[in-house]
Amino acid sequence: MSLSVVLLHEVDAMGCHFLLKQTFGCDQNQVTHIMIFYKINGLDFEYMNLWGPTKYLLPLVGKVAFCIVTLFGSAPRSYSSRGIESMFSMMRALWEIFLVMLISIFSKTVDAKPSSRISNTANNSYCLSWRVAVEANNIRGWRTVPVQCLHYVENYMLGGQYERDIDMVVEQISAYMKDIIPANDCKDAWILDVDDTCISNLIYYKGKRFGGDPFDSAGYKAWAQKGSCPAIPAILQLFKKLIEGGFKVFLLTGRDEELLGQITTENLHNQGFIGYERLILRSPAYRGQRAVPFKSEMRKQLAVEGYRIRGNVGDQWSDLMGDYLGDRTFKLPNPMYFVP
């Protein structure tokens, strides 16, 4: 009994099937599959890289099978039955060695990535918990975003989730509004904060690592004086619905009246906030006062004027704490900074 053994690409189809079946225990369909992958990849032993990453296991099996067979390409063309058995034993042993190498390489390649993924998952989980705690006002007085959460907050602000969260809040406000019918005395009012409620400072905070840098009072004032804060679309639409619904809308902000009053008015007008009842800024008498007592006093004055505050919307808890809060408050997300 004799068998011709040459390079794989010189063996006829039946010879390939027989050789691979005897060597690797493959049936004809498996052998055909291996051959197909070999032909598609077009690889040869000289430049095949076993140590590189692989997309699929089956193509790699085809490459290994190709290498094992070609290792015997220079062997004599005739063998005795004993020689064939010896050759097959050697080839099977080589195949087992290649499998061990393959499993070792593949496990190392795969193991490195899950550990990285696990690390990223754990970090994202922590940062999600941190953000939820911030939004629930369980973490107070923080000055900067934690270093390990900078990338998370950036993704949150720019990746679409921030807008979706605002949309959810606005949906709840709209549902609440349906149950309120403004009285004929025109005293039903809503209060909206300005910064990161009506208009956005996201462009500015992008340069501050999305809250990774401490608050820069001079830098922020220089930014605000440009008057280029864009409207937050969902809040602009809410504002228009409130006006159309017969409510009086007051815009209440801690911005300095003397320094930023005119530019803020223009900024709001240019962004479509037209028709509000009054823009209330921080006058010199309240300069240096914290947000909660200042805004409480402003809301008290509205109540004294006879206004019924039906709703109060802001991105900071200091917008929604203190006295004369109104019938209901709505907190917008903001993980970039904290205003005491």
Side-chain angles (χ1 to χ4, degrees):
M1 180 180 179
S2 63
L3 173 68
S4 294
V5 181
V6 293
L7 292 177
L8 183 59
H9 64 270
E10 294 181 5
V11 179
D12 65 287
M14 290 303 295
C16 285
H17 293 164
F18 177 77
L19 177 61
L20 294 176
K21 180 178 180 181
Q22 292 297 321
T23 308
F24 309 118
C26 302
D27 60 29
Q28 183 166 330
N29 290 333
Q30 289 175 305
V31 171
T32 303
H33 221 58
I34 292 173
M35 289 291 292
I36 289 172
F37 275 108
Y38 159 63
K39 290 177 181 178
I40 288 176
N41 283 281
L43 299 174
D44 58 41
F45 184 72
E46 278 67 84
Y47 68 86
M48 187 191 68
N49 181 12
L50 276 176
W51 301 98
T54 58
K55 282 189 175 181
Y56 304 102
L57 181 59
L58 193 53
L60 186 57
V61 171
K63 297 171 191 177
V64 174
F66 168 65
C67 293
I68 292 175
V69 175
T70 54
L71 285 174
F72 291 88
S74 59
R77 288 181 171 271
S78 297
Y79 298 89
S80 64
S81 296
R82 192 171 182 179
I84 292 172
E85 291 177 5
S86 176
M87 182 192 74
F88 282 159
S89 297
M90 290 177 62
M91 292 177 72
R92 188 178 292 278
L94 281 172
W95 172 244
E96 291 173 355
I97 292 172
F98 271 111
L99 279 179
V100 172
M101 291 173 59
L102 171 62
I103 292 171
S104 175
I105 295 167
F106 187 74
S107 63
K108 288 178 181 177
T109 303
V110 172
D111 286 346
K113 293 181 179 178
S115 64
S116 176
R117 284 198 297 268
I118 291 171
S119 176
N120 289 336
T121 299
N123 187 63
N124 286 341
S125 179
Y126 168 79
C127 294
L128 173 60
S129 297
W130 175 83
R131 183 174 65 81
V132 169
V134 164
E135 299 299 354
N137 203 29
N138 291 327
I139 297 179
R140 303 182 184 184
W142 53 279
R143 298 184 67 242
T144 60
V145 172
V147 173
Q148 66 268 40
C149 296
L150 293 179
H151 187 59
Y152 170 85
V153 172
E154 177 181 356
N155 286 339
Y156 172 76
M157 296 303 297
L158 300 181
Q161 190 59 53
Y162 170 66
E163 288 83 359
R164 288 190 288 271
D165 288 350
I166 290 179
D167 289 343
M168 177 60 72
V169 176
V170 172
E171 284 181 19
Q172 300 308 307
I173 295 174
S174 297
Y176 167 68
M177 285 172 54
K178 292 178 181 178
D179 297 328
I180 305 175
I181 301 176
N184 294 329
D185 61 0
C186 299
K187 291 295 185 177
D188 291 285
W190 278 74
I191 295 177
L192 304 183
D193 173 51
V194 173
D195 284 296
D196 293 301
T197 297
C198 291
I199 52 179
S200 174
N201 292 300
L202 183 56
I203 297 173
Y204 170 75
Y205 276 96
K206 184 177 181 180
K208 298 295 181 180
R209 299 192 300 160
F210 299 91
D213 297 336
F215 179 69
D216 176 9
S217 178
Y220 170 74
K221 289 176 182 177
W223 154 256
Q225 285 177 317
K226 295 179 180 179
S228 57
C229 298
I232 295 178
I235 302 301
L236 178 58
Q237 294 306 312
L238 171 65
F239 170 82
K240 292 178 178 179
K241 285 176 65 175
L242 290 170
I243 298 296
E244 293 169 0
F247 294 100
K248 298 298 181 182
V249 178
F250 293 86
L251 305 184
L252 176 56
T253 175
R255 288 189 175 198
D256 186 273
E257 186 175 41
E258 291 183 343
L259 181 65
L260 299 172
Q262 184 59 38
I263 194 65
T264 301
T265 301
E266 294 173 0
N267 194 162
L268 288 165
H269 186 275
N270 292 337
Q271 292 300 315
F273 290 91
I274 301 170
Y276 53 81
E277 189 69 14
R278 195 184 310 165
L279 171 62
I280 304 173
L281 299 105
R282 190 189 295 270
S283 67
Y286 296 95
R287 191 171 292 156
Q289 192 175 60
R290 290 202 166 197
V292 172
F294 163 67
K295 292 197 171 186
S296 291
E297 181 60 28
M298 297 302 102
R299 292 191 298 264
K300 177 182 178 180
Q301 291 181 17
L302 293 178
V304 169
E305 293 177 34
Y307 287 102
R308 296 177 291 274
I309 302 174
R310 295 299 195 177
N312 186 359
V313 184
D315 68 295
Q316 298 292 316
W317 277 104
S318 53
D319 300 328
L320 312 173
M321 298 176 70
D323 302 324
Y324 301 91
L325 294 174
D327 295 342
R328 188 166 172 184
T329 60
F330 295 89
K331 171 71 168 64
L332 297 179
N334 187 347
M336 297 187 297
Y337 61 88
F338 175 85
V339 176

